[in-house]
């Protein structure tokens, strides 16, 4: 049974939050829309890993930097702060304070070189407090997003075990329980290095941190992030029914904590960020119907790192028709092979029209709104070779709630191979087509008669394919070849656009494009096998 914080402790922390910390009253849900339309996720680490124009790297990390990262996302309804990996509190914690972690625990191993965020916390910084203050001043809702099993620290586990000392982002709980609670034995595999929720101590520890956060701060809502990272149970471990029971019980406890602690405002929303692909849910213990019954108010469907266009909203709404569902979008639609370590893969930027088209598709399927994730990563980060970089397209954010505006914009639909990833299984792409073979791809679309015009369909490979003989049909009608354009619609991005010889282009009459699912048939008539990694369809206005 998941341990509970005593009622006396909850009452004490609630008083501390509302009286001594001096926050303004939380924004009432009755003051605005009962369901926000635009959610914006702020991982905070982008502040130091990217190159925003408002930060000098020599400054370290400051309250001003966090406030700037909130202000620049103007036009959103909810700002979700992700305070770290979810194992080390980036707030004023009594359960596991910055001093207890950085000075006492890490100090006992001689770890003294600390990142900017650690220096900020040790100096009295409090990300959650600053987040709440800034959102209050802007009149937007302040959510906190807690990563349930983030494994970024696991990438340094093998070296840490070799040196017999933890890295700065490994908590005492992780370090002392790694051998007992890990999912698998391989310390070089993120999926095995994270902790296994089948052991009651793991969700109990996470719940204790969440309870303290809720009781100590009058947040407007809380998100449980099931995607950072998606492994919470061993693949060959306990049955899926037990996984669902553990997860649902955990969520119910969080709902109770939200209702009891930290605020006298109306019911505060409990959101979850889950894989968009429903087939992944059972092995991860996710039962949307049961979680909605346990108190979940918002469901965000995520493809982890990518913007996708599919029917996941439509599918989720069949399970939870009365629960608001959000479609997540990110900075990229497709990535290439990494040039070095993590984060060095070249990536195709999500264009304005792809944001607008994806949002329009989501609304058409019943979405309440959209959520933005990894949005600042248009900026320079990791290595110059994955550039050229730009400022993020913040101008799209307030427009994503305007259905009339979206209906009048050009359409840019696509299907993508994304990247090889356990949370992205069984995609149509990449596909390898042998001679005389036909492959079927699916494209979601929502053209509007009288607004959208004939356009272009492109197939992209990661090798030259212009010498292939190919027949392409959309919904049973053969398309004729067209002139290649690297930018079928104008945009400002130059990175990872591909080379002309990697594309085949075709003219596409708008009359052929159906609302909903479209069937794209690709047949290789001549030439050696052909690999397709991306397909897009552009319909101008």
């Amino acid at each position: 049974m998941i341990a509970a914080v005593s009622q006396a402790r909850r009452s004490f922390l609630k008083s501390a939050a509302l009286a001594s910390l001096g926050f303004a009253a939380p924004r009432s849900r009755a003051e605005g829309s009962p369901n926000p339309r635009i959610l914006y996720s702020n991982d905070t680490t982008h502040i130091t890993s990217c190159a925003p124009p408002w930060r000098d790297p020599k400054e370290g990390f400051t309250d001003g930097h966090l406030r700037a990262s909130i202000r620049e996302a103007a036009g959103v309804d909810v700002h979700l702060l992700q305070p770290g990996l979810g194992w080390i509190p980036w707030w004023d914690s009594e359960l596991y304070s910055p001093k207890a972690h950085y000075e006492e625990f890490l100090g006992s191993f001689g770890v003294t070189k600390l990142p900017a965020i650690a220096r900020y916390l040790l100096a009295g910084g409090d990300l959650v407090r600053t987040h709440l203050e800034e959102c209050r001043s802007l009149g937007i809702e302040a959510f906190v997003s807690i990563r349930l099993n983030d494994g970024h620290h696991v990438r340094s586990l093998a070296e840490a075990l070799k040196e017999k000392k933890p890295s700065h982002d490994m908590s005492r709980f992780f370090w002392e329980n790694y051998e007992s609670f890990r999912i698998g034995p391989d310390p070089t595999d993120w999926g095995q290095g994270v902790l296994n929720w089948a052991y009651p101590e793991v969700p109990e520890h996470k719940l204790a941190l969440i309870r303290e956060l809720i009781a100590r701060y009058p947040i407007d809502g809380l998100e449980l992030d099931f995607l950072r990272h998606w492994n919470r149970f061993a693949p060959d471990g306990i049955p899926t029914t037990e996984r669902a029971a553990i997860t649902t019980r955990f969520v119910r406890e969080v709902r109770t904590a939200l209702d009891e602690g930290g605020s006298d405002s109306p019911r505060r929303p409990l959101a979850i960020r889950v894989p968009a692909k429903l087939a992944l849910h059972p092995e991860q213990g996710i039962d949307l119907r049961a979680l909605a019954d346990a108190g979940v108010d918002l469901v965000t469907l995520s493809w982890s790192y990518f913007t996708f266009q599919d029917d996941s909203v439509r599918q989720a709404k069949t399970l939870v028709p009365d629960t608001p569902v959000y479609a997540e979008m990110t900075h990229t639609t497709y990535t290439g092979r990494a040039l070095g370590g993590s984060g060095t893969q070249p990536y195709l930027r999500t264009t304005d029209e792809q944001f607008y088209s994806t949002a329009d598709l989501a609304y058409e399927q019943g979405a309440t709104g959209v959520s933005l994730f990894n949005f600042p990563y248009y900026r320079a980060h990791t290595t110059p070779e994955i550039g050229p970089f730009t400022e993020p397209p913040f101008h799209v954010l307030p427009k994503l709630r305007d259905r009339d505006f979206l209906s009048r914009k050009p359409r840019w639909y696509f299907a993508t191979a994304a990247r090889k990833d356990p949370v992205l299984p069984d995609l149509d792409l990449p596909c390898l087509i042998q001679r005389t073979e036909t492959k079927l791809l699916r494209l979601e679309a929502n053209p509007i008669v009288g607004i959208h015009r004939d356009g272009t369909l492109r197939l992209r490979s990661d090798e030259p394919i212009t010498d292939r003989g190919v027949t392409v049909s959309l919904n049973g009608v053969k398309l004729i070849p067209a002139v290649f354009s690297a930018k079928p619609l104008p945009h400002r991005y130059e990175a990872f656009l591909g080379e002309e010889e990697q594309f085949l282009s075709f003219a596409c009459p708008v009359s052929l494009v159906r609302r909903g699912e479209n069937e794209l048939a690709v047949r290789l008539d001549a030439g050696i096998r052909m690999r397709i990694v991306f397909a897009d369809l552009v319909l101008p206005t």
Side-chain angles (χ1 to χ4, degrees):
M1 180 68 180
I2 296 176
V5 176
S6 70
Q7 182 62 43
R9 179 170 178 76
R10 283 200 295 267
S11 298
F12 170 78
L13 290 175
K14 179 176 180 178
S15 298
L18 297 178
S20 65
L21 293 183
F23 288 110
R27 177 184 175 188
S28 169
R29 304 289 297 170
E31 292 175 11
S33 169
N35 297 310
R37 304 301 290 273
I38 306 175
L39 315 181
Y40 182 91
S41 188
N42 183 341
D43 73 355
T44 65
T45 56
H46 71 89
I47 294 173
T48 54
S49 63
C50 293
W54 34 260
R55 176 178 178 268
D56 183 340
K58 297 178 182 178
E59 295 174 342
F61 183 94
T62 69
D63 270 345
H65 297 152
L66 179 56
R67 292 180 188 277
S69 75
I70 297 170
R71 288 194 299 269
E72 69 184 2
V76 305
D77 300 287
V78 174
H79 201 103
L80 298 103
L81 178 75
Q82 299 171 48
L85 306 187
W87 298 110
I88 303 162
W90 283 6
W91 59 83
D92 184 18
S93 173
E94 294 182 355
L95 292 178
Y96 190 49
S97 68
K99 178 180 176 63
H101 175 64
Y102 294 108
E103 293 185 351
E104 297 171 7
F105 171 58
L106 294 183
S108 69
F109 290 90
V111 179
T112 57
K113 185 176 181 181
L114 299 176
I117 188 68
R119 300 192 297 272
Y120 163 85
L121 293 169
L122 288 171
D126 184 334
L127 277 85
V128 175
R129 178 189 177 98
T130 299
H131 170 60
L132 286 169
E133 289 176 348
E134 190 63 26
C135 288
R136 296 279 192 274
S137 73
L138 297 172
I140 60 177
E141 294 185 67
F143 281 34
V144 173
S145 176
I146 296 294
R147 301 177 174 189
L148 294 186
N149 217 23
D150 196 315
H152 276 88
H153 54 291
V154 175
R155 58 185 163 186
S156 59
L157 179 58
E159 184 65 22
L161 293 174
K162 180 180 177 181
E163 296 183 357
K164 298 183 179 181
K165 63 179 181 180
S167 61
H168 68 84
D169 51 5
M170 292 179 183
S171 70
R172 180 189 293 274
F173 181 82
F174 175 82
W175 185 255
E176 293 180 349
N177 293 287
Y178 165 72
E179 290 292 337
S180 302
F181 300 151
R182 67 177 185 259
I183 284 180
D186 185 355
T188 65
D189 183 342
W190 289 22
Q192 296 188 47
V194 290
L195 302 183
N196 191 338
W197 279 49
Y199 297 101
E201 295 88 343
V202 177
E204 284 173 6
H205 176 73
K206 181 67 68 171
L207 183 58
L209 294 173
I210 291 174
R211 278 189 172 127
E212 179 189 53
L213 172 71
I214 291 171
R216 197 161 181 78
Y217 299 89
I219 58 177
D220 294 319
L222 182 79
E223 179 184 72
L224 302 177
D225 185 351
F226 286 81
L227 266 295
R228 282 285 193 241
H229 279 83
W230 45 91
N231 286 355
R232 287 182 302 120
F233 301 97
D236 56 351
I238 62 176
T240 58
T241 52
E242 291 186 36
R243 301 177 192 202
I246 291 169
T247 302
T248 303
R249 184 166 63 247
F250 178 88
V251 169
R252 187 177 292 112
E253 294 280 3
V254 174
R255 175 73 267 167
T256 298
L258 271 171
D259 291 340
E260 290 182 354
S263 174
D264 294 321
S265 67
R267 176 184 173 101
R268 292 179 293 170
L270 175 58
I272 55 175
R273 177 177 181 251
V274 298
K277 193 170 185 66
L278 300 186
L280 290 173
H281 288 194
E283 71 176 81
Q284 293 306 313
I286 298 170
D287 181 334
L288 287 185
R289 286 195 184 99
L291 295 180
D293 290 341
V296 165
D297 301 293
L298 312 175
V299 176
T300 293
L301 301 176
S302 169
W303 287 99
S304 180
Y305 192 79
F306 296 90
T307 298
F308 259 67
Q309 294 177 350
D310 68 339
D311 63 347
S312 58
V313 171
R314 188 182 299 125
Q315 291 186 39
K317 290 298 289 183
T318 65
L319 297 177
V320 285
D322 300 323
T323 302
V325 173
Y326 291 74
E328 183 178 279
M329 299 184 287
T330 76
H331 64 310
T332 186
T333 57
Y334 171 59
T335 61
R337 188 184 301 273
L339 305 177
S342 175
T344 63
Q345 65 271 13
Y347 62 103
L348 189 62
R349 277 60 166 170
T350 305
T351 67
D352 292 7
E353 289 77 14
Q354 288 168 343
F355 279 122
Y356 299 147
S357 299
T358 305
D360 179 77
L361 288 173
Y363 289 131
E364 189 69 13
Q365 295 177 27
T368 297
V370 295
S371 180
L372 286 307
F373 192 84
N374 274 357
F375 200 74
Y377 286 86
Y378 288 82
R379 288 171 170 149
H381 62 283
T382 64
T383 177
E385 285 76 16
I386 63 175
F389 299 101
T390 66
E391 275 296 279
F394 289 111
H395 58 273
V396 308
L397 297 179
K399 300 172 183 176
L400 293 174
R401 69 165 60 82
D402 188 338
R403 293 294 305 276
D404 181 62
F405 171 84
L406 297 177
S407 72
R408 293 181 279 105
K409 300 303 292 182
R411 300 296 199 228
W412 196 331
Y413 302 119
F414 60 89
T416 177
R419 69 182 179 194
K420 188 177 180 180
D421 197 309
V423 82
L424 301 171
D426 306 321
L427 303 180
D428 287 347
L429 298 175
C431 70
L432 190 65
I433 309 175
Q434 304 293 341
R435 186 182 300 175
T436 73
E437 185 181 15
T438 299
K439 290 285 189 181
L440 299 179
L441 308 177
R442 293 161 294 176
L443 285 175
E444 286 283 327
N446 184 37
I448 298 177
V449 175
I451 293 181
H452 298 105
R453 300 186 291 108
D454 297 349
T456 303
L457 185 142
R458 303 186 305 168
L459 301 177
R460 177 174 177 174
S461 180
D462 49 9
E463 61 186 5
I465 58 173
T466 49
D467 62 341
R468 311 299 202 271
V470 177
T471 298
V472 174
S473 301
L474 183 66
N475 297 323
V477 179
K478 181 179 177 180
L479 304 182
I480 63 173
V483 175
F484 166 76
S485 173
K487 296 182 179 181
L489 291 172
H491 62 78
R492 56 182 174 156
Y493 310 117
E494 302 294 337
F496 203 46
L497 296 179
E499 303 298 328
E500 181 174 355
E501 61 267 22
Q502 295 175 322
F503 287 84
L504 295 173
S505 301
F506 301 87
C508 183
V510 68
S511 59
L512 298 182
V513 185
R514 300 171 181 163
R515 300 184 73 175
E517 184 175 295
N518 292 259
E519 184 177 271
L520 179 65
V522 183
R523 175 183 171 85
L524 181 60
D525 300 313
I528 61 172
R529 53 96 185 110
M530 179 175 68
R531 175 178 155 93
I532 302 298
V533 297
F534 197 86
D536 58 3
L537 169 62
V538 170
L539 300 175
T541 53

